Amino acid sequence: MDEAQRPVDEAQREDAVGGASPGGPAPSQFWPISGQDRTAGLLEAVLSVDHGLDLPQALHRIVEAAVGFADAEYGALGVIGDDARLVLLVTAGVSAGGAGAFLGVPVRGWDGTLGSLYLRREPGAREFGAEDGRILSILATAAGVAIENARLNEQARYRERWIEANSEIVSTLLSGADEETVLQLIVDRAGQILDAGLGVVALTMPGTDELHVALASGVDADEHRGLTLPREGSFAGAALVAHGPITSLAIGRDPRTEAGAPRWAGLGPAVGVPMGGGERVRGALLLARAEGLAPFTPAETAPLMAFAGQAALAMELGDRRWGAEQLALLEDRDRIARDLHDLAIQRLFATGMTLQSAVRFVEHPQASERLLRAVDDLDETIKIIRSTIFGLRAQEGPRSQRSLRARTAAALERSAPALGFTPALRMEGLIDTDVPPEAGDHVVAVLSEALTNVTRHAQATAVDVTLVVRSGTLTLTVADNGKGMPGSGRRSGLRNLAERAEALGGEMSVGNSPQGGTRLVWQVPNIPG
């Protein structure tokens, strides 16, 4: 009898097959003497795979069983992923190297090959036979079942995590949370599930071909947050027009990231999806993994489309809430305008008429002068109130027909999504009656450009805007609490603003504020009163 075919006693076989050792039995213990015992031992080896082991442990037990049954020196089982790359390698025994006997079989699953199982004997040993091949095929089938079961369990856990995240997002939406809170939660949960190091939300900027990075979380988030990106030449722009997920193996070297300064250091695989669909795409959601990690697979990115759709839903709900608030605000403005017109102006006018008629009964010159001055003040107050009423009511219609007050407020509202907050606004004087249309157009353009500059460069959390008409001079002031003016850099946008002021005989100044941040003052004189 060949030494390799020596029997083992029943106690040894029981320990080898039925033992609970996580590492599995020793190779030499899987070699029963008779065909019946051999079959029973093989069956027990196959069944022992599902004894509460994780996948690497189960595959290690299979490899050890194969080495023992075939009297091999070395065995290995390699598992490949969806991209045909090796994702797991399990070995048993010691490889002696050299050109020894070799036997290999594929490990198959329901949809194709999952990997391979092979054995090797030392140089000079006998060749593997047909029986060895049959045993190895049986164990490879067991390995395939173990791999498929592990993948099904992983998919179930994966789907459960997405379901929990979706439920959390829906609950947050129904609670009335603001848009920024919901977007942050979406980025955080998607990053956790997909093992991403960086999450970014880039939103469209209405009326432009640019995107604003409204939110960034994770690795070097400060390098991305607040950036303005073109649609052409940015990964976010490519995701915006895609009908599904787009992926990159190396985001830093991807030709779709050529716009802007390099900012992808240490990051590798990336995925981007549009938020929304059709003409209602609101932006793009980007996730990136650390360099060297596995690429994003279709199975991973498929749920991301629906998840990003919830971000678009959050923004839609935010817009509707804002619309409802605006409607309530306009109704309140209309009520205030009616009250001012029907009560305040009428009473002021009556008071002015009474004072004016009383002048002829006053003989003291100084008292008469004071009465006339009071009448003039009342007339000026009536003008201001009428201008305010006009501004409150002129909220609809084409831009050319809207009041300067309304257009100024609208410019601030348009800037709010990109800034992340709504700037504070204060207006004084006869803005809607004394400012010529040409000067009003310049004011709106200057204000919009100034707010864009704050968005791009200031990293501010608050902006104060004042528009004042006093003593024939119109003054627009934009002050933020950001990082202040840089020592050098391009200032073509500021030159444009200065040229607008000079065209109307005015001037512009800009500099760092003593309280921190930047202060821009734009003045135009000779406003008719």
Side-chain angles (χ1 to χ4, degrees):
M1 179 180 297
D2 187 55
E3 176 67 16
Q5 295 179 333
R6 69 181 187 275
V8 294
D9 61 28
E10 294 298 321
Q12 286 177 319
R13 184 166 62 252
E14 181 178 353
D15 290 341
V17 177
S21 173
S28 62
Q29 294 173 326
F30 283 105
W31 198 250
I33 182 171
S34 67
Q36 183 176 357
D37 286 343
R38 181 182 177 88
T39 301
L42 180 61
L43 179 60
E44 290 186 50
V46 170
L47 293 178
S48 70
V49 168
D50 196 29
H51 282 179
L53 304 176
D54 61 17
L55 183 60
Q57 287 179 316
L59 297 183
H60 188 263
R61 178 162 288 190
I62 287 176
V63 176
E64 286 191 326
V67 169
F69 273 105
D71 194 24
E73 298 296 327
Y74 176 78
L77 193 157
V79 182
I80 60 175
D82 295 333
D83 57 354
R85 294 185 178 186
L86 185 69
V87 296
L88 178 63
L89 178 65
V90 179
T91 64
V94 178
S95 177
F102 178 88
L103 176 63
V105 295
V107 177
R108 301 188 187 279
W110 298 317
D111 297 324
T113 302
L114 302 175
S116 60
L117 172 63
Y118 67 89
L119 301 174
R120 181 183 297 160
R121 286 179 177 152
E122 63 183 3
R126 67 179 179 87
E127 295 293 327
F128 290 104
E131 182 68 10
D132 296 321
R134 283 193 293 271
I135 291 175
L136 200 62
S137 295
I138 292 172
L139 292 172
T141 300
V145 173
I147 295 171
E148 289 286 10
N149 287 340
R151 290 186 175 180
L152 287 175
N153 289 334
E154 179 62 28
Q155 289 173 8
R157 289 193 296 267
Y158 186 67
R159 284 194 297 269
E160 184 179 357
R161 294 183 69 187
W162 278 115
I163 290 172
E164 290 176 353
N166 278 315
S167 298
E168 186 178 5
I169 299 301
V170 171
S171 299
T172 306
L173 285 172
L174 294 178
S175 70
D178 59 85
E179 175 185 307
E180 183 177 356
T181 299
V182 177
L183 291 179
Q184 183 68 58
L185 185 60
I186 287 173
V187 170
D188 290 344
R189 294 297 174 268
Q192 292 167 4
I193 294 173
L194 295 179
D195 192 25
L198 174 69
V200 169
V201 170
L203 304 180
T204 58
M205 299 177 67
T208 72
D209 290 329
E210 295 179 323
L211 297 170
H212 170 69
V213 180
L215 189 151
S217 179
V219 178
D220 294 332
D222 291 339
E223 299 293 327
H224 299 262
R225 192 182 300 114
L227 287 178
T228 299
L229 303 172
R231 298 196 184 197
E232 294 290 334
S234 67
F235 195 71
L240 193 71
V241 298
H243 298 291
I246 63 170
T247 58
S248 174
L249 297 178
I251 185 68
R253 298 188 298 274
D254 197 295
R256 292 168 292 187
T257 62
E258 61 185 12
R263 57 191 181 281
W264 304 102
L267 296 171
V271 60
V273 292
M275 297 192 308
E279 297 181 356
R280 298 294 296 171
V281 176
R282 312 297 295 267
L285 171 63
L286 275 63
L287 297 171
R289 286 174 174 163
E291 195 170 9
L293 293 183
F296 289 94
T297 64
E300 289 178 319
T301 59
L304 199 56
M305 282 292 293
F307 208 60
Q310 289 192 326
L313 176 61
M315 299 179 67
E316 185 71 24
L317 290 176
D319 286 349
R320 297 202 174 190
R321 279 196 293 264
W322 180 85
E325 292 170 356
Q326 287 297 108
L327 180 61
L329 178 62
L330 291 177
E331 291 176 348
D332 195 46
R333 285 176 173 175
D334 191 55
R335 178 189 59 78
I336 294 172
R338 287 195 306 270
D339 291 346
L340 286 174
H341 182 271
D342 296 340
L343 299 176
I345 287 184
Q346 298 299 332
R347 290 185 179 183
L348 288 173
F349 185 77
T351 301
M353 293 291 292
T354 300
L355 291 176
Q356 196 169 18
S357 63
V359 171
R360 65 178 183 270
F361 300 110
V362 177
E363 297 181 355
H364 196 285
Q366 292 183 347
S368 177
E369 181 182 354
R370 289 183 179 181
L371 284 175
L372 291 175
R373 191 160 57 243
V375 171
D376 291 339
D377 289 342
L378 288 174
D379 287 341
E380 187 67 22
T381 302
I382 290 172
K383 287 182 181 180
I384 293 174
I385 294 176
R386 282 176 172 166
S387 175
T388 302
I389 293 173
F390 184 74
L392 288 172
R393 287 180 169 170
Q395 301 292 328
E396 304 297 333
R399 185 174 70 89
S400 60
Q401 299 177 6
R402 297 174 67 186
S403 70
L404 180 55
R405 287 177 179 268
R407 292 168 62 189
T408 302
L412 266 65
E413 292 167 358
R414 287 195 301 270
S415 71
L419 286 168
F421 57 88
T422 301
L425 175 63
R426 181 172 63 88
M427 293 183 283
E428 296 181 8
L430 303 179
I431 295 172
D432 290 325
T433 56
D434 286 357
V435 179
E438 180 185 6
D441 291 341
H442 282 292
V443 167
V444 176
V446 169
L447 177 59
S448 299
E449 179 66 22
L451 293 175
T452 299
N453 287 338
V454 173
T455 301
R456 290 179 176 177
H457 310 297
Q459 299 179 5
T461 59
V463 177
D464 293 322
V465 176
T466 59
L467 181 61
V468 178
V469 174
R470 184 184 297 124
S471 303
T473 300
L474 180 149
T475 304
L476 171 67
T477 305
V478 180
D480 65 68
N481 67 344
K483 61 182 183 180
M485 290 288 294
S488 60
R490 296 178 56 189
R491 301 194 179 189
S492 57
L494 295 179
R495 283 200 302 272
N496 292 337
L497 304 187
E499 289 172 358
R500 286 181 179 273
E502 292 168 1
L504 298 176
E507 61 181 3
M508 185 198 76
S509 63
V510 60
N512 292 326
S513 173
Q515 293 77 27
T518 304
R519 179 182 175 87
L520 180 148
V521 180
W522 191 86
Q523 286 188 324
V524 176
N526 303 319
I527 299 297

